Amino acid sequence: MPFSDDTLTGISTGLQSTLKTLARDNYPQNMREVMDWARDLCLNNDTYVHGVQTGVRYFMTDIDVLSDDMDYKQRESFKDELSQGGRLLSTLADIGDETIFFGNSFTSAVPRLTRHLVCRKCGASHRMSYMRGLYKYDRERKFHGKCPACEHTGQFLVRDWRVSDEDMVLHIIRWPLEAMRIKYNPTSDHREYMLDTDIWPEMLSKIEDQDPFHLETTPLAVIDAAAKRKPMKFRQNGVFHMRTETVSEIAKDLGGWGFPRFLNSFSTVVMLLLLEKYNEVLLADYKVPMRVFSPPDSARLSQATGLSPGGSQLGQMTGSQFTEAVSAMTAEHRRNPGGHYTMPYPFQYQTLGGEASQLTDVQLLQFYENRLLRNMAIPHEVFAGSLKESTAPAVALRLFERVWQGFLHGADRWLSWYASVHCRMKQISPVDIRLRPVSVQEDPMVQQTLLELGMNKQISMGQALKPLNVDYLGAVRDMLDEEVEVEKMRADQSRKLEEIGTNSMAMHDPSPGEKVLRKEEEEMMAAEQQAAAQGGQSAPAPAPGGAGGAGGPVASPGTAGGRSESLSALVQEAEQLAQDLFGAPDRASRLRELDKHNPDLHAFVTKKLDKMENDVAQQGIVQARQQQRGA
């Protein structure tokens, strides 16, 4: 038997029969009865279920990663990897529900595995799902078949390999309580856990029938235990037992099992069940009234009409005739409720029942529901979802958190165990995690006083912020890590802007024609500077290609035959025209027209426009750097 059938003598009250109540007479006497009561409450008492779920989820806040070797970004990444998009806290809440409902919850965390058959001769590994029909399984947990690689026929080795996936996550298995066995030493508080596979007869039958799905997906330890008809023993830390503790006088008779919370309020639970049964009977028998039709009293009818009982039509009526007439009238009423009806006989109408609203005691039912919540230390406002500062004082929430402190400690231990399994699977250094403390509602005056003392350096900031569940040192560490990340982002942005400026300048390398014009411009400027130094007039610029002429006429836009007398005038004209074209919407068309009439001026204008664009880009880079430094 998975559960011990020994009487729980520590729970027995030992009272005389005259003082025993119905609740004490029905108190569970072994773990099987305890689990039966817990299962019945989970299935049939919505008030109890909602109260437990509300209490458990009050503590499901968020996960804090405790590691001094990780910076802020690494801790956030590790938390996201563990939380699985919020599924981890949801799973922990379900485990917490099971712990409060039944007093116990057994969990294993295993990676996703693929089963392979390995040839003993050539060592080739074949995925079992690809070899369906090529192997056979016997009752000694041995797989035989023909190797597709070397065609050797014999026994295969069986290996479970982890899936090579960077996003590999652990699969959480919650074992049924009925299948668990505990070997417990009360003097050292050591436990060994075993799994009884006999509760799954259909699965065992499928394995014996060599069903491929069960042979490929059932853990090897379970297959081995089923083949030997023995319980499967869990390895150390292979299963986490989350349980509800109780006083030692009762715990000594539990055999290492936890103690469900509802047993402390068993009399209240029994009263709730009695009231629900009582109300069910009242609703079934008294809520809907029963309508009765009957013939009137013949003596009263004769006295009212002055006729003898036998002289009236009623006196000549039989019982079947009266019943038939009433049935016809009620049938017509159901078909047409708004019609008018007649009866050949007078009758009496009477309603029986309908007193359910007067007989049911709703207040008494609410009293015991609130009593059950109060025994579980759940404030009514938390249960009803009407939490407000005026209606939910800090004292009630503090009491609730202190009473459930054991559950919170168990939840933190479960998270630490899960993180250790995850780190072993990933082959990384151990990292501890825990639930973030809930926000306790404090007196606003006390909060303000503590904050003022902390700001004035009369107490530490950690002590001032502790009632608000703020880890001051952790917050400072996170702020410093965030600043480092922000500086990295700024440096990244500056590097990208510099690359943009460099690429923009590289895209505007001068063409051979532009190089010639640039050389001519430099020579002209040098000649002008020399003439200015001698106090005379500027020397004429050399013609393109070293010729001594003026270089030919140059047409300006807007004038058909207008010529610039020197290269200096051409540069000035190009400067003016570039200013006009820089922001013009028809810039491209005007440049094409200029290229047709005066290619030399077009080259100067294009060069000026490119220089202006580069200057704007460099100014943008400088302004961006100044804004980053100012921030």
Side-chain angles (χ1 to χ4, degrees):
M1 300 289 288
F3 295 133
S4 172
D5 284 334
D6 297 335
T7 301
L8 300 178
T9 55
I11 299 179
S12 179
T13 59
L15 296 176
Q16 298 179 1
S17 59
T18 55
L19 300 178
K20 283 188 176 181
T21 61
L22 180 63
R24 290 187 174 94
D25 284 338
N26 289 274
Y27 207 95
Q29 296 300 304
N30 53 62
M31 287 306 300
R32 181 173 294 279
E33 292 184 6
V34 169
M35 297 304 161
D36 289 342
W37 270 97
R39 187 179 297 108
D40 182 77
L41 284 174
C42 288
L43 294 175
N44 301 304
N45 197 304
D46 55 346
T47 301
Y48 174 72
V49 171
H50 182 54
V52 170
Q53 291 178 341
T54 302
V56 169
R57 280 150 186 80
Y58 176 82
F59 298 96
M60 299 295 116
T61 52
D62 199 0
I63 296 174
D64 280 339
V65 180
L66 309 179
S67 175
D68 295 333
D69 299 330
M70 291 183 174
D71 57 20
Y72 173 79
K73 188 175 182 179
Q74 291 172 333
R75 288 196 299 273
E76 290 298 315
S77 176
F78 185 79
K79 185 177 75 171
D80 293 340
E81 182 180 343
L82 278 182
S83 61
Q84 305 173 21
R87 291 193 298 272
L88 183 62
L89 284 181
S90 177
T91 302
L92 180 57
D94 294 337
I95 294 172
D97 293 342
E98 190 174 38
T99 303
I100 302 300
F101 286 144
F102 297 92
N104 303 268
S105 179
F106 299 91
T107 311
S108 292
V110 295
R112 192 170 54 145
L113 304 173
T114 56
R115 185 154 298 164
H116 291 72
L117 298 178
V118 181
C119 178
R120 290 177 175 268
K121 182 179 180 180
C122 66
S125 176
H126 312 282
R127 188 164 179 170
M128 185 179 288
S129 58
Y130 299 156
M131 293 187 62
R132 290 187 178 182
L134 301 179
Y135 67 87
K136 291 184 178 180
Y137 170 76
D138 58 25
R139 294 190 176 183
E140 296 181 358
R141 204 187 68 114
K142 296 179 180 179
F143 292 85
H144 301 269
K146 185 177 181 180
C147 176
C150 66
E151 298 186 351
H152 170 72
T153 301
Q155 180 183 349
F156 289 107
L157 297 175
V158 185
R159 297 290 184 266
D160 285 344
W161 291 345
R162 295 177 182 175
V163 178
S164 56
D165 185 0
E166 294 182 357
D167 298 328
M168 177 171 50
V169 296
L170 292 171
H171 177 55
I172 299 175
I173 304 175
R174 287 187 288 156
W175 302 105
L177 303 182
E178 186 180 356
M180 295 301 299
R181 292 186 179 182
I182 301 178
K183 190 175 182 180
Y184 177 61
N185 186 344
T187 60
S188 61
D189 199 33
H190 284 178
R191 294 171 174 83
E192 288 185 357
Y193 299 97
M194 292 161 285
L195 180 73
D196 188 355
T197 59
D198 290 339
I199 69 166
W200 296 299
E202 183 178 356
M203 181 194 71
L204 300 181
S205 176
K206 292 289 186 181
I207 293 176
E208 291 181 356
D209 294 340
Q210 302 187 27
D211 178 65
F213 172 76
H214 287 82
L215 289 176
E216 295 165 7
T217 58
T218 306
L220 287 176
V222 175
I223 295 178
D224 186 37
K228 297 178 180 179
R229 297 296 181 183
K230 293 182 179 180
M232 183 198 77
K233 182 179 178 181
F234 288 93
R235 58 178 174 80
Q236 188 177 7
N237 293 327
V239 63
F240 186 89
H241 182 196
M242 190 172 175
R243 58 189 176 273
T244 305
E245 302 289 353
T246 186
V247 295
S248 59
E249 186 63 24
I250 297 177
K252 66 182 178 63
D253 297 298
L254 297 178
W257 289 79
F259 189 74
R261 284 182 177 269
F262 78 91
L263 290 178
N264 290 325
S265 305
F266 190 73
S267 60
T268 303
V269 172
V270 172
M271 290 302 300
L272 275 175
L273 296 179
L274 288 175
L275 287 172
E276 288 180 355
K277 183 178 181 180
Y278 173 71
N279 289 335
E280 181 181 310
V281 173
L282 292 177
L283 291 175
D285 293 344
Y286 293 95
K287 185 61 179 177
V288 180
M290 181 172 57
R291 293 166 290 181
V292 180
F293 295 89
S294 61
D297 182 45
S298 59
R300 293 183 179 179
L301 181 63
S302 176
Q303 184 179 2
T305 60
L307 300 173
S308 62
S312 65
Q313 188 177 10
L314 180 62
Q316 301 173 0
M317 178 186 63
T318 63
S320 60
Q321 291 175 333
F322 179 82
T323 303
E324 184 179 352
V326 171
S327 299
M329 183 188 68
T330 55
E332 179 65 20
H333 173 69
R334 289 193 179 97
R335 190 183 66 83
N336 183 18
H340 296 81
Y341 315 102
T342 60
M343 277 268 302
Y345 311 105
F347 63 90
Q348 296 183 128
Y349 174 75
Q350 187 179 9
T351 58
L352 302 177
E355 305 96 345
S357 58
Q358 289 81 22
L359 295 175
T360 54
D361 195 342
V362 179
Q363 293 183 351
L364 186 60
L365 182 63
Q366 292 177 348
F367 167 77
Y368 278 102
E369 288 179 348
N370 292 332
R371 179 177 173 180
L372 178 61
L373 296 176
R374 187 171 63 252
N375 292 343
M376 297 172 65
I378 299 178
H380 183 270
E381 290 76 17
V382 175
F383 171 79
S386 58
L387 186 63
K388 296 180 181 178
E389 185 176 353
S390 58
T391 58
V395 175
L397 290 177
R398 279 185 176 276
L399 178 62
F400 168 54
E401 293 170 7
R402 296 302 181 269
V403 173
W404 285 64
Q405 197 168 17
F407 166 76
L408 182 59
H409 176 66
D412 285 339
R413 289 180 55 244
W414 187 91
L415 286 175
S416 297
W417 167 80
Y418 179 82
S420 65
V421 177
H422 176 83
C423 292
R424 285 199 304 270
M425 179 188 68
K426 293 286 189 177
Q427 297 181 354
I428 59 178
S429 301
V431 179
D432 193 16
I433 61 175
R434 68 180 180 185
L435 285 173
R436 182 170 298 172
V438 295
S439 299
V440 179
Q441 197 170 21
E442 292 280 0
D443 185 353
M445 185 176 296
V446 175
Q447 294 180 4
Q448 186 64 29
T449 302
L450 291 175
L451 290 176
E452 290 179 357
L453 291 175
M455 296 298 293
N456 295 330
K457 305 297 183 181
Q458 296 179 356
I459 61 174
S460 67
M461 287 301 298
Q463 184 179 357
L465 297 175
K466 185 176 181 181
L468 300 177
N469 291 323
V470 176
D471 182 7
Y472 177 69
L473 295 180
V476 172
R477 183 171 56 248
D478 292 345
M479 288 175 59
L480 295 176
D481 291 342
E482 285 179 351
E483 290 180 2
V484 172
E485 292 298 323
V486 170
E487 289 299 327
K488 290 181 180 179
M489 293 172 62
R490 288 176 175 171
D492 246 5
Q493 186 68 14
S494 297
R495 181 179 53 79
K496 291 179 180 178
L497 290 173
E498 291 177 357
E499 290 177 356
I500 292 174
T502 303
N503 294 336
S504 177
M505 296 179 65
M507 292 173 61
H508 295 87
D509 288 339
S511 63
E514 291 176 339
K515 292 180 179 179
V516 173
L517 293 174
R518 180 181 297 178
K519 183 178 180 180
E520 293 176 353
E521 182 179 357
E522 292 175 353
E523 292 175 353
M524 181 197 68
M525 294 178 64
E528 290 179 350
Q529 292 176 0
Q530 182 178 3
Q534 294 175 357
Q537 295 182 349
S538 60
V554 179
S556 62
T559 60
R563 304 293 185 205
S564 298
E565 296 180 354
S566 66
L567 188 58
S568 176
L570 182 65
V571 172
Q572 293 178 1
E573 189 175 2
E575 179 74 25
Q576 181 63 35
L577 188 56
Q579 293 289 341
D580 296 339
L581 292 177
F582 184 73
D586 56 344
R587 169 177 166 178
S589 61
R590 292 174 63 180
L591 284 174
R592 285 194 299 269
E593 187 68 22
L594 178 62
D595 190 25
K596 294 178 182 178
H597 295 89
N598 195 338
D600 296 335
L601 183 59
H602 176 270
F604 274 99
V605 172
T606 305
K607 181 62 179 175
K608 292 291 184 181
L609 289 173
D610 291 343
K611 185 175 182 302
M612 293 169 66
E613 290 176 351
N614 289 335
D615 291 343
V616 171
Q618 291 296 330
Q619 290 177 3
I621 295 174
V622 173
Q623 291 178 359
R625 289 178 177 175
Q626 290 177 350
Q627 291 177 358
Q628 291 175 357
R629 292 169 182 172

